[in-house]
Amino acid sequence: MTDIEDLWKYACSGDIEALRKYYDDGGSINNRYFKAGTSHSLIMGAFRNNQFETVEYLLSVGEDISKEERSKLRTELKKFNIFKELAEMDENTIGLNQSQTM
């Protein structure tokens, strides 16, 4: 059977064919890679390495992320939405807000 280290490498490098072989051969889902005292899902390994097709594939076979990973993603999404809002503000609005704080 395939070692979690190998699965992690496949996910992080986007090797969908190796992952497909693993699952086709009866491999289990939701294995976790442990490093620095933290568990990591294969989905997040692929996601952090911009392997978005691999993320979609892993989702399609039933892989999931942990509650902790989901919480971190929600925090990052909140940050992104605030950055987006700030970036979309026009300069007049920014100038008004700055003068109100002085």
Side-chain angles (χ1 to χ4, degrees):
M1 196 42 92
T2 306
D3 181 285
I4 186 60
E5 298 261 341
D6 292 331
L7 292 174
W8 183 254
K9 289 176 192 172
Y10 302 155
C12 292
S13 68
D15 192 344
I16 294 173
E17 289 309 311
L19 290 166
R20 182 173 285 124
K21 180 176 178 357
Y22 168 77
Y23 294 113
D24 287 349
D25 289 347
S28 62
I29 61 170
N30 293 321
N31 293 293
R32 297 295 188 246
Y33 177 74
F34 289 89
K35 185 167 184 168
T38 305
S39 73
H40 306 272
S41 67
L42 297 178
I43 290 174
M44 289 307 294
F47 179 80
R48 289 183 183 121
N49 286 281
N50 299 318
Q51 301 296 331
F52 304 119
E53 288 180 33
T54 304
V55 170
E56 291 173 352
Y57 173 73
L58 291 167
L59 288 168
S60 78
V61 297
E63 289 286 345
D64 199 1
I65 61 175
S66 68
K67 289 179 183 179
E68 294 82 13
E69 289 170 327
R70 189 170 273 99
S71 176
K72 288 178 184 178
L73 282 175
R74 287 186 178 131
T75 298
E76 292 304 314
L77 185 57
K78 286 178 186 177
K79 287 180 190 177
F80 175 80
N81 287 332
I82 291 169
F83 288 150
K84 183 176 182 240
E85 187 176 323
L86 290 170
E88 292 174 348
M89 293 174 70
D90 67 20
E91 293 197 22
N92 292 331
T93 304
I94 293 171
L96 286 174
N97 288 340
Q98 288 176 347
S99 66
Q100 291 173 351
T101 59
M102 293 182 166

